[in-house]
Amino acid sequence: TISDKYLAAVRAVLRWAFENDRLPTNEAEAVQQDVPRKVQTRERGYTTSEAVKILKASREYQPNTSANPSIRESLHITSAKRWVPLLCAFTGARITEMTQLRKEDLRLEGDRWILRITPDAGSVKTGQYRDVPLHMQIIALGFIDFVAQANDGPLFHRATSPDKYLANARTTGGRLTEWLHSLNLVPEGVQPNYGWRHRFKTQGRELAMSDRVLDAIQGHPGKTASDSYGDVTITAKLKLIDALPNYDLLI
């Protein structure tokens, strides 16, 4: 951050001053901050056993009860703790892309439920919507029933105005991270939310699935010019999603 952002900004300002004869030299031109080499001591995604522990904690979650509404956990946060880890596990999506989901972002296409990740719900890094089929285990565990009973609008935060969707979705994501850390379920060296993205990519490669399809599901841009040709259809995505094994969440 210091090297790439703070010093870069200072150098840019002083370079402008030097080039416009406001300063005799640019004293920041040669200043740099050495960046330590990153040390990686394990895989970046969750292992199967780590993923199962998180998903079991998520499915079994019950909020503390309180007669005081000011300290009572909101239904949106409770719902996020119960459903968002499972959604991340089977979509490889960014955490905020899941916490900003709205009821209207789910649709039935034929006999399959499709989840749309769209900037209209808050933010998407690529700026483009994408459709992801729901894994059958998510449906079997009752997610569609939960969505059907929910009010219109966001499922996992309480914002009522679109200009507040993103901030509220990020807040929910932060609450999820704090909760997982409080349970000591996040291994050292794993980012709690990106652990699902890494795991999803790893699972897809173990199943010999196309990286192009994986990228389309996860919202990663293509790496070559050829990646912009043709479309990754719902049919192609379904083959990958349906190949993912169920998690053993029996108590």
Side-chain angles (χ1 to χ4, degrees):
T1 301
I2 292 173
S3 178
D4 294 340
K5 294 184 179 180
Y6 300 156
L7 286 178
V10 172
R11 280 194 293 268
V13 171
L14 295 187
R15 182 172 60 251
W16 179 90
F18 170 68
E19 292 174 350
N20 288 273
D21 299 324
R22 305 298 178 90
L23 288 175
T25 60
N26 178 359
E27 295 297 330
E29 186 173 8
V31 177
Q32 61 183 10
Q33 170 70 41
D34 292 334
V35 179
R37 180 176 296 177
K38 292 183 178 179
V39 177
Q40 184 176 332
T41 58
R42 55 153 292 157
E43 59 268 52
R44 290 176 289 179
Y46 294 117
T47 64
T48 299
S49 62
E50 291 165 350
V52 167
K53 287 179 182 178
I54 291 174
L55 294 178
K56 281 187 175 181
S58 174
R59 298 304 304 145
E60 298 166 13
Y61 177 73
Q62 294 293 333
N64 293 327
T65 57
S66 173
N68 186 347
S70 65
I71 62 174
R72 190 185 306 150
E73 183 173 86
S74 74
L75 179 59
H76 291 87
I77 298 298
T78 298
S79 299
K81 291 177 180 178
R82 289 175 177 168
W83 291 111
V84 170
L86 190 67
L87 290 168
C88 286
F90 280 120
T91 64
R94 300 171 182 88
I95 183 68
T96 304
E97 292 174 338
M98 292 296 97
T99 58
Q100 71 187 23
L101 281 180
R102 304 165 301 171
K103 183 172 183 174
E104 55 264 42
D105 295 329
L106 278 293
R107 73 178 188 275
L108 188 62
E109 192 168 297
D111 61 349
R112 294 303 297 265
W113 284 95
I114 310 298
L115 180 156
R116 172 159 291 189
I117 298 170
T118 171
D120 289 341
S123 176
V124 177
K125 189 173 182 179
T126 61
Q128 300 178 351
Y129 83 89
R130 66 184 189 274
D131 287 334
V132 182
L134 284 185
H135 192 276
M136 294 305 293
Q137 188 174 20
I138 298 177
I139 298 170
L141 289 171
F143 181 66
I144 297 303
D145 295 331
F146 158 73
V147 173
Q149 294 169 13
N151 295 326
D152 291 341
L155 297 170
F156 303 120
H157 64 81
R158 292 190 291 187
T160 57
S161 173
D163 63 324
K164 296 181 180 178
Y165 281 174
L166 179 57
N168 280 260
R170 285 173 173 167
T171 297
T172 298
R175 294 283 295 276
L176 277 172
T177 298
E178 292 172 2
W179 173 64
L180 290 176
H181 277 299
S182 72
L183 298 177
N184 295 318
L185 291 177
V186 182
E188 187 71 27
V190 176
Q191 293 179 287
N193 301 318
Y194 272 83
W196 293 118
R197 285 175 68 73
H198 287 296
R199 176 173 173 77
F200 187 89
K201 190 80 77 176
T202 299
Q203 284 185 293
R205 289 169 177 164
E206 288 177 343
L207 293 166
M209 294 295 177
S210 162
D211 263 16
R212 174 84 188 281
V213 178
L214 282 164
D215 287 345
I217 291 174
Q218 291 191 274
H220 284 138
K223 301 174 182 64
T224 65
S226 66
D227 286 341
S228 63
Y229 286 79
D231 298 309
V232 179
T233 62
I234 292 293
T235 300
K237 294 175 181 178
L238 271 170
K239 290 179 179 178
L240 191 155
I241 294 296
D242 287 347
L244 296 173
N246 285 357
Y247 286 95
D248 183 3
L249 302 182
L250 295 178
I251 309 304

